[in-house]
Amino acid sequence: LIKKHDINSHDVTKVEIHTFENAVNLDSITPKTIEEAQYSMPFVVGSALLDKEFGPRQICENRLDDPEIKAQAKKINLIVDEAFSKRYPEKIHARVVVYTKDGQAYSDTNISVWGDADDPLSDDDLKYKFLTLSKESVTPAQAKELMDMIWNLSKISSINALVSRLHDYCLS
């Protein structure tokens, strides 16, 4: 919603997340560890609001005490939706409503989790995810080479070349 409607995090007054009961229990606004941050809906959504993206860089040790993330996390309201709770764990649903200073409300309902069997990643999504996640470990050229090798695994006779490249790029 933030990207789709180009919403600035500082214009957001409140975010309601209507979801299943177990998710509502993930409500820590001030996680103390990376593990707590990963399971803190307010921290995760606050980080995503602030950065307009979500990935490994949003959950780093140096961001646990970030006052801007804490300010965004305080805007997050988790609300149990009984219909979603009844479908859990078979289905993981949420409805998000973002309210802004100008009185607008932007809403979306997630009927499936992006990347699950019900909503698989496209080839382009997979490539983007690989390149995004690998940029902390290898150069863009190395990531592209590895991605091409992985993408063409069915065409090679031995996995040794890929293993060797991974070793060269990631362990040396």
Side-chain angles (χ1 to χ4, degrees), residues 39-106:
Y39 294 97
S40 164
M41 292 259 293
F43 185 88
V44 167
V45 175
S47 297
L49 274 174
L50 194 61
D51 298 342
K52 291 191 178 185
E53 68 176 8
F54 187 75
R57 289 181 302 137
Q58 280 62 50
I59 300 182
C60 296
E61 196 81 35
N62 64 339
R63 299 197 82 194
L64 292 174
D65 292 321
D66 186 321
E68 288 190 73
I69 294 175
K70 288 181 181 181
Q72 296 303 317
K74 289 178 183 175
K75 299 176 184 179
I76 312 305
N77 297 301
L78 303 176
I79 301 164
V80 174
D81 182 301
E82 293 303 328
F84 292 163
S85 291
K86 287 178 184 172
R87 293 183 199 127
Y88 177 80
E90 288 79 25
K91 299 286 182 184
I92 298 174
H93 295 214
R95 182 168 52 86
V96 177
V97 185
V98 177
Y99 297 91
T100 56
K101 289 179 181 176
D102 64 2
Q104 294 291 314
Y106 302 90

